[in-house]
Amino acid sequence: MYSQSEKQISGPLQAVAWSHNGTRIASAGKDNAVLVWDASTGNTLLVYRGHTGSLRAIAWSPDDKYIASASSDKTIQVWDATTGHVIYTYHGHKDQVYTVAWSPDGTRLASGSEDKTLQIWDATTGNHLLVYQAQDKVESVTWSPDGTSIAAATSDKDPVVRIWHASLGTPITVYRGHSAGVFSLSWAPDGKRIVSGSADDTAQVWNAITGRIITTYPDAMTGGAVCVSWSPDGKYIASSGLGRSVYCRPHLHILSSKQERPKKCPEKVGTFLRTLSDDHGTPNLLQLQAGAMGCAGHASLNLHHVFDQSLEGGNFSCHQTLRTA
């Protein structure tokens, strides 16, 4: 089921995730395998092959002991991130699973699927706890930092983001700012804002309680903003997309607010830490000053600078482009 000597990626990648302590990286794709890498050397530590279908999402537990992997084989598998030993397999979904996320305290997992459900289950036993019925396939889920709420993004016929109470299952708000399917969500560390990435080529930041729009990045990605993520300090948002070419190298755009426009754009807010393989769908990993984050298998990567966290309707203009060597 797993190997500590296999080093090659075969097939396009679908997901990449850093461990919370920043020492390891997990990547997964259409070859049905999850690879765990040493973040400092790029060496493969473990290859997990428990799934019978392509991988769609991976997530580290808060203590970095376990990885949850979601697959087109309709299952989520939870396994030891060091040994590859399977803890349990969750069979609650009726179709391929697109997304999985641990609650901040590590006691629950949430998953979204082609079967139009968001499901919450016990992270220790795999026992089912709640089901939320969506109007379309669930592309992305994210927990609030305090673990009390959960947001789910849907696509195609119903491009909205819905927020529910994570324990009671009661609805809190619905965000309808996008004109096409919503692929990715990330909750800000302060718990007040959510950024959503969409096939309409925008990344939008909005109030997590009221659903009121705060900022729109109108051209976050050509080909759709398929991955968005906040930096740990809440100052940056990274977005990745397919772009015009699948194989071109990533690039960065740094955007600052007109209300607090600096004399010049920051010279350097991030550096590419390591390219684990070539450009053909393999992960390029970005080390931000504020912390580590990454995106996989997409042709470009934008970095947006959030200067004033309280601004609503801010207009972002100043930009700079950095390119990898």
Side-chain angles (χ1 to χ4, degrees):
M1 186 173 293
Y2 64 91
S3 166
Q4 291 185 317
S5 60
E6 188 171 349
K7 294 182 180 294
Q8 298 299 317
I9 297 174
S10 59
L13 283 180
Q14 305 264 60
V16 64
W18 290 81
S19 62
H20 295 87
N21 63 15
T23 63
R24 290 172 293 173
I25 301 150
S27 60
K30 292 188 176 181
D31 62 355
N32 304 357
V34 181
L35 279 69
V36 179
W37 312 79
D38 185 296
S40 60
T41 67
N43 293 332
T44 305
L45 302 175
L46 178 72
V47 179
Y48 177 79
R49 292 192 175 278
H51 288 280
T52 59
S54 63
L55 276 296
R56 302 306 301 263
I58 46 178
W60 292 82
S61 62
D63 60 6
D64 291 332
K65 291 182 179 180
Y66 306 104
I67 291 175
S69 49
S71 171
S72 61
D73 65 11
K74 307 179 186 179
T75 72
I76 302 101
Q77 299 180 13
V78 177
W79 42 279
D80 189 291
T82 301
T83 67
H85 173 72
V86 180
I87 308 302
Y88 60 82
T89 299
Y90 182 71
H91 293 279
H93 289 287
K94 298 179 181 179
D95 210 326
Q96 60 181 316
V97 188
Y98 291 127
T99 180
V100 64
W102 295 79
S103 63
D105 63 3
T107 62
R108 292 165 294 171
L109 279 155
S111 54
S113 168
E114 179 80 25
D115 65 11
K116 302 181 182 180
T117 66
L118 165 67
Q119 302 188 17
I120 296 180
W121 32 289
D122 188 286
T124 302
T125 64
N127 291 335
H128 171 262
L129 299 176
L130 284 173
V131 174
Y132 303 94
Q133 186 64 51
Q135 301 301 311
D136 208 334
K137 59 185 177 183
V138 180
E139 296 274 5
S140 180
V141 296
T142 183
W143 293 81
S144 62
D146 62 5
T148 62
S149 303
I150 191 163
T154 55
S155 64
D156 298 339
K157 298 179 182 179
D158 188 40
V160 303
V161 181
R162 288 181 169 83
I163 301 179
W164 288 279
H165 192 287
S167 298
L168 303 177
T170 53
I172 296 175
T173 191
V174 179
Y175 180 71
R176 302 182 182 275
H178 290 285
S179 59
V182 185
F183 293 133
S184 182
L185 297 172
S186 183
W187 214 302
D190 63 8
K192 299 177 181 179
R193 297 159 298 161
I194 292 175
V195 60
S196 49
S198 168
D200 63 13
D201 293 350
T202 71
Q204 299 182 14
V205 181
W206 42 280
N207 187 295
I209 302 299
T210 66
R212 180 182 176 184
I213 183 69
I214 298 173
T215 297
T216 297
Y217 300 97
D219 296 304
M221 277 296 146
T222 302
V226 298
C227 176
V228 292
S229 182
W230 289 88
S231 63
D233 63 359
K235 292 182 179 179
Y236 299 97
I237 298 168
S239 62
S240 72
L242 297 176
R244 291 185 176 88
S245 174
V246 174
Y247 302 131
C248 69
R249 286 187 179 273
H251 62 279
L252 303 178
H253 293 289
I254 304 166
L255 302 169
S256 63
S257 166
K258 280 184 177 179
Q259 284 91 331
E260 293 193 27
R261 182 185 299 175
K263 293 181 180 179
K264 62 178 182 178
C265 289
E267 292 182 359
K268 191 175 185 181
V269 296
T271 57
F272 282 91
L273 178 65
R274 186 175 188 86
T275 300
L276 296 178
S277 188
D278 59 24
D279 295 322
H280 299 274
T282 58
N284 289 280
L285 304 170
L286 179 68
Q287 176 76 45
L288 300 180
Q289 287 179 339
M293 60 199 302
C295 279
H298 308 306
S300 53
L301 181 68
N302 283 2
L303 188 66
H304 311 286
H305 192 176
V306 182
F307 273 87
D308 186 345
Q309 298 181 10
S310 66
L311 287 177
E312 298 203 3
N315 188 4
F316 291 77
S317 61
C318 177
H319 69 277
Q320 181 180 7
T321 300
L322 303 178
R323 298 187 183 276
T324 56

